[in-house]
Amino acid sequence: MKTRILFVDDEPGILDGLRRLLRSYRNEWEMSFASSGQEALAIVAEQSIDAVVTDMRMPGMDGSQLLNELARCHPEIVRFVLSGYSDDEMIIKSVGTAHQYLSKPCDSDLLKAALSRALSLRKLLHEERLLALVSGVSSLPSLPEVYLEILETLRSDGASLRKVGETISRDPAITAKVLQLVNSAFFGLGRKISNPADAASLLGLDVLKTLALSAGVFSQFDQNKISTSDFSLAQVFDHCIAVGLLGKRIAASEEAESNLVSECLLAGTLHDLGKLIIVNEYPEEYARMRLMAKGEGMSEYLAEKEILGATHAEVAAYLLGLWGFTDSVVEAVAYHHQPGLSSYAEFTPLTAVHVANALEGAAQANERTAPCAGLDMSYLEASGLADRLESWGRLRESARDSRK
Amino acid sequence: MDELELLENRLQRERLARKQAEALLEEKSETLYLLNQDLVKLAADLAEREEASRSILEATGDGIITLDESGRIDSFNRAAKGIFGYSQEQVVGQNIDKLFPMGITGEAFKNIPHMQDMERSGELHEATGRRADGSEFFMEISLSQGQLLQRRMIIVSVRDITQRKKAEEERKYMEIQLRQAQKLESIGQLAAGIAHEINTPIQFVGDNTRFLLDAFADIERLLSIYDQVLEAVRANEITEGLVTSVNSIANEIDLDYLRSEIPQAISQTLDGTDRVARIVRAMKEFSHPGDEAKSLIDINKAIQSTITVSRNEWKYDAELETDLDLTLPTVPCLASEFNQVILNIIVNAVHAIRDGKSDDSTAKGAILITTKQEGDWAKISIRDSGSGIPEAIRSKIFDPFFTTKGVGKGTGQGLAIAYSAIVDKHAGTIDVQSEVGVGTTFTIKLPMQG
Ligand SMILES: Nc1ncnc2c1ncn2[C@@H]1O[C@H](COP(=O)(O)OP(=O)(O)OP(=O)(O)O)[C@@H](O)[C@H]1O
Ligand SMILES: [Fe+2]
Ligand SMILES: [Fe+2]
Ligand SMILES: [Mg+2]
């Protein structure tokens, strides 16, 4: 079946141009065009559409209104912005609901690549309801303490961006959202930013303030809303941060280039975000999954697969992919329990995250993994890295010691 | 006995007389005392009064200098000392020239020492003074004359206005800055809009060109067997196979589609580049950098470029139409100020249209700009279908900082700037007519002769 993409723009020239430009994709893509938000909603109501690419400013219903409406009624649709505006107000208006922002003029290869990539991510999640659920997510719950601290730092006189960046890096959920934003093409960066400190200094205090105060950008975790008491956000975050740091050490010990090192840190920090989505959206299934894993002594991710049809790894990877994170980060998150599913055989962020997670997980009550501490030895052997395991294990010990 | 009686009587008389004398003395001395008292009081009064007038003289912030008829300084109060930095001794007896570098021939002193024209007495003049250290400063002086023991006396009061002058200049500077800032801000606002106006055609020009590249690659496939076909035709050996392969390539590349689409892609591309060029040209015309003096301006063209530059501000809310008198002669004008005025009024019109629109309506409002010649005036009117201006505030809209808009939406300077540009700088007029719920028309008239 062809993928169906709907383009929305009030300027007919843009639609004609896109139609011609993407003609070479006519065998894979079925394209529709709408000249207003209302028209777009009418089309979406009649046909099933996989992705929408919309302009921001249009007479009548504007892009952000359209995206809000789509997120509400058709959350499974991939939502892209292609806009000629680059002002902060527009970005902030759509940051909650747009998966990615592309700015005009947009390189046609970039547009094609971004669209095909977002659409190909769907193979990560097979179930329609999960697709809808995850693409409907606009923010991830963060720790109230950290959120509060960010607000306080921002409000204080002479707020320092470095301090804000440091605080953000203590919360994987906020880290993800801020990096999504800073890497969106609105900010016109050629390279991908992978750490919160750089992100904070690029965004600047004003944008950060507006973001922090905008509804729907950051949300706070509410333990009371979760029916299972078997979940601690702080514990998951601690684990994520530990995996990130260890992943970074491992990469550094392999003398990986700095870019790769910081991707390992990032992928590690984000790797278990899928758990937040699951526990938030499917608390009952989450509780059942825990019981099943305990009762049958199986790995949690396998129990998730059994009950939900997807693992927390796949769920997070799908979301991060929609948000425009790099392939290597998405892959590291997606396969951190099953690295053998990846087709790479060299050292990648996946290697670092998989190993760091297994080493950290061995000590975590929350992630009791299968024998051999959840390590996929055949993957490591195939990558020719099995002999490194011992020294990586020592890195973890020394990291533990230095933290004490 | 008689003797004793006599003595007794005399004694009694004397006693009486002494008593009388004593009483008289007492009376006299009391009068004297009272008199003396009065005198003392009078003297004290006098001294006090003199003291008072001297202290008033000394206390006053204005410098007071008295001159005799020849222009020699008689007295010099404390404020004057402070202002000029001389002591009394240094100037008394000296000519007033010493204090005024322009001399008493300067404008303000034309009538001294023979100040006949007493009507000018008390009038304020600005003059330049010179201090003891040689530095010069601005001051305000006023002259008057008085009579002192038959002698004519000229009283000069001086006030150092360096601070005031500075403040005035500062204010003027700030006003310029403010105006510059508002202009910059509106240019900043415009810039985002202009970027969008340019990015849109650039996007589709790029897309179309990319398409043309792909399309040409397709056509190239067809051309690649062109030689074979030609050869075959020449040799009169056209085979069924050749025809089939031409057909199948044409099918594969969807030749019919390309044929109808390529010309459109080219014309839209040209259209896009025209749009960019037009915007860039209008930007240049709109900002007219650095024209300090008036030059002869084609008002219609100026309006057109302002409309083009601001298109993004109005296009989502209004249809903008023009009815321009193409025979309108050029008008002496400060182009960038004029453009700013038109822009301010257009932006106000858009705001009023948005304001008057009900939430669920998607209908656009209307703006109409007309120009026409009326006698020696060029008349420009800008009509909108917006919310209108209530009677009660109509007289305030040209006041600086008067605004009905929220913070960040308006600073209340748009029309104040328009007023000063049109009325003060161009000797023109700007008027408004408005009906609440119907719309507003601003009418500007500029004299054709500068
Ligand atoms: N076309 C119009 N229709 C209705 N009201 C208007 C119109 N033009 C001006 N006004 C009123 O006059 C006020 C003053 O206008 P002015 O342009 O000086 O300031 P502003 O638009 O509020 O702010 P600024 O122009 O500095 O951004 C406005 O706030 C508005 O109430
Ligand atoms: Fe995990
Ligand atoms: Fe984990
Ligand atoms: Mg205004």
Side-chain angles (χ1 to χ4, degrees), chain B residues 4 12 15 18 46 82 93 102 107 116-117 181 208 246 249 260 275 327 334 351 359 363 377 408 411 438:
Chain B
L4 197 72
Q12 204 153 6
R15 218 181 274 146
R18 203 174 61 223
L46 260 175
M102 314 296 233
E107 177 64 24
Q116 312 307 7
D117 184 7
N208 281 321
V246 170
I249 292 176
S260 71
R275 259 164 73 172
T327 67
L334 296 164
H351 287 168
D359 280 344
W377 301 83
T411 64
V438 177

Side-chain angles (χ1 to χ4, degrees), chain A residues 7-16 18 33-40 53-63 66 82-85 90 104, chain B residues 196-197 199-201 204 275 311-312 314-318 364:
Chain A
F7 293 90
V8 191
D9 204 300
D10 60 318
E11 169 71 51
I14 292 278
L15 294 181
D16 286 345
L18 288 169
F33 301 88
S35 62
S36 71
Q38 287 88 346
E39 202 183 315
V53 180
T54 180
D55 189 19
M56 272 307 273
R57 250 187 110 172
M58 296 183 284
M61 174 184 285
D62 70 17
L66 171 63
L82 175 61
S83 167
Y85 284 94
M90 282 291 163
K104 288 177 196 162
Chain B
H196 185 252
E197 288 299 305
N199 286 340
T200 300
F204 69 72
R275 259 164 73 172
R311 180 163 180 267
N312 201 65
W314 50 262
K315 72 170 182 188
Y316 299 104
D317 300 284
K364 287 186 186 177

Side-chain angles (χ1 to χ4, degrees), chain B residues 381-394:
Chain B
S381 57
I382 299 156
R383 192 173 81 197
D384 68 60
S385 65
S387 53
I389 308 173
E391 183 81 57
I393 63 163
R394 222 167 284 169

